[in-house]
Amino acid sequence: MRITGISTHVVGTPWRNLTYVQVHTDEGLTGVGETRMLGRTDALIGYLREAEANHIAGSDPFAIEDLVRRMKYGDYGRAGEIVMSGIAVVEMACWDIKGKALGVPVWELLGGRVTDRVKAYANGWYTTERTPEAYHKAAAAVVERGYRALKIDPFGTGHFELDRQQSLYAVSLIEAVRDAIGPDTELMLEMHGRFSPSTAIRLAHELAPFEPAWLEEPVPPENLKALAKVAQKVDIPLATGERVHDRIEFRELFESQAVDIIQPDVGHLGGILETRKLAATAQTHYMLVAPHNVGGSVLTAASLHVAGCTPNFKILEHFNDFADAQIKEVVMGAPQVVDGYFELPQGPGLGVELDVDAAAEFPQQQARFDLWAEGWEKRDPCGARR
């Protein structure tokens, strides 16, 4: 079996463009992969066009390690977010092909399952007015939908510092959310790399009474010593990793022991097997894995296959029940959350299929997501600029 070529399909919303790639073969099997780029979708498609000619076309889709190696190193320049995302979508599509050809789900090819279902946490649910009352109502609706975990960034447009008034307001939002969801629902606090270590530490202490399940990206991700400074003075578990795009670059993070949970994005890290390898290394450092997952249903399915065979997997992020939920229509067999959990996919390959005609109903947009713009949490770029 050989790869004959690829086709790309961009599904657009105002705040995110989802790039789907189909890998076609000379035996009629087609696999699909997905990633979400911020402001670099056209660059990704341009890279894939060159990679198709240089590396992908003519390759054996079963020889996944070899194809990843050639795409990553065969152009000599250091692979960054665009290249690693391009590798990821092709890599997961090859796993999809291999599973279909052998008649088994991808997790079966990666060592077999260690669980039948995967806990989900909701994100994108707070696209409402930024008030305690509105957040209380929205959080209660998440729990009523069956979720037993959710995440929120309550810090507005905070950057490095957060003054006393803004800090008290953020605390009031979290107090309202905790009241709505009760004591047994996990509450993840997202900082989006906003703060200096001292600000992150202060806010962590002020929010500790609400028992956060983790504190995510308390400082910008480039400086691990700053992250370690936070870890030394905060008892809440720390999480990070969504903006690290190469498995090798996690080495210093592991050595620092500064976090408890790593959050690789399967669609940016080079795909399914790269993420599984990373998870194995995390296990040797007693760290849990909770992938960043802001994509659609194919990327969610790929993340679930990683979850199914990963003993130190904690939980999976899910946007698609809340923010532009209609995009689930473009994928047949889209994973669904029931009573707070995903069931492990059972079909061959990834267990999902892209509906190309449905995808065409969501053309690419000039999607923007600026976390420092007023009203960003509504995920309405036009509204945020008004």
Side-chain angles (χ1 to χ4, degrees), residues 318-332:
H318 194 228
F319 273 83
N320 300 323
D321 280 341
F322 302 97
D324 49 52
Q326 68 276 14
I327 62 148
K328 289 192 290 185
E329 299 169 7
V330 310
V331 173
M332 295 175 283

Side-chain angles (χ1 to χ4, degrees), residues 70-238:
R70 287 187 285 111
M71 291 181 72
K72 184 175 181 181
Y73 297 111
D75 297 318
Y76 185 70
R78 184 176 177 181
E81 181 182 10
I82 293 168
V83 171
M84 294 307 294
S85 300
I87 292 172
V89 290
V90 172
E91 191 261 13
M92 65 180 79
C94 287
W95 280 111
D96 191 25
I97 291 168
K98 193 168 188 175
K100 288 174 179 175
L102 298 175
V104 296
V106 169
W107 52 258
E108 193 75 80
L109 302 174
L110 297 172
R113 66 185 174 193
V114 295
T115 185
D116 291 317
R117 62 180 193 160
V118 178
K119 190 173 183 179
Y121 74 86
N123 204 344
W125 56 270
Y126 53 106
T127 55
T128 184
E129 295 303 314
R130 190 171 174 265
T131 65
E133 297 77 16
Y135 277 26
H136 188 284
K137 182 178 179 180
V142 173
V143 175
E144 288 170 6
R145 193 160 184 160
Y147 282 88
R148 293 297 175 263
L150 71 168
K151 187 166 76 178
I152 182 174
D153 176 342
F155 303 107
T157 58
H159 185 53
F160 281 173
E161 292 186 311
L162 201 68
D163 67 30
R164 193 64 191 148
Q165 183 180 4
Q166 292 173 311
S167 298
L168 290 172
Y169 197 75
V171 170
S172 74
L173 295 175
I174 295 304
E175 183 178 23
V177 171
R178 175 54 80 189
D179 181 71
I181 66 178
D184 297 328
T185 298
E186 287 190 279
L187 174 59
M188 290 78 170
L189 290 185
E190 167 74 270
M191 286 187 167
H192 280 124
R194 294 184 180 281
F195 299 121
S196 67
S198 60
T199 300
I201 292 166
R202 174 177 62 80
L203 289 169
H205 290 158
E206 292 175 359
L207 292 164
F210 306 107
E211 299 184 333
W214 73 51
L215 194 67
E216 183 170 335
E217 273 200 336
V219 296
E222 300 88 356
N223 188 335
L224 290 182
K225 289 185 177 179
L227 183 64
K229 185 177 180 180
V230 176
Q232 290 166 5
K233 298 185 178 182
V234 170
D235 293 330
I236 302 168
L238 299 186

Side-chain angles (χ1 to χ4, degrees), residues 8 40-52 82:
T8 58
R40 301 176 180 90
T41 298
D42 291 338
L44 172 65
I45 292 172
Y47 163 70
L48 286 168
R49 189 179 304 116
E50 292 190 59
E52 179 181 18
I82 293 168

Side-chain angles (χ1 to χ4, degrees), residues 72-73 244-254 269 274 278:
K72 184 175 181 181
Y73 297 111
V244 182
H245 304 130
D246 190 326
R247 176 169 53 91
I248 296 169
E249 293 176 7
F250 276 86
R251 179 182 58 82
E252 292 181 27
L253 181 63
F254 289 140
L269 194 78
E274 286 295 287
L278 178 68

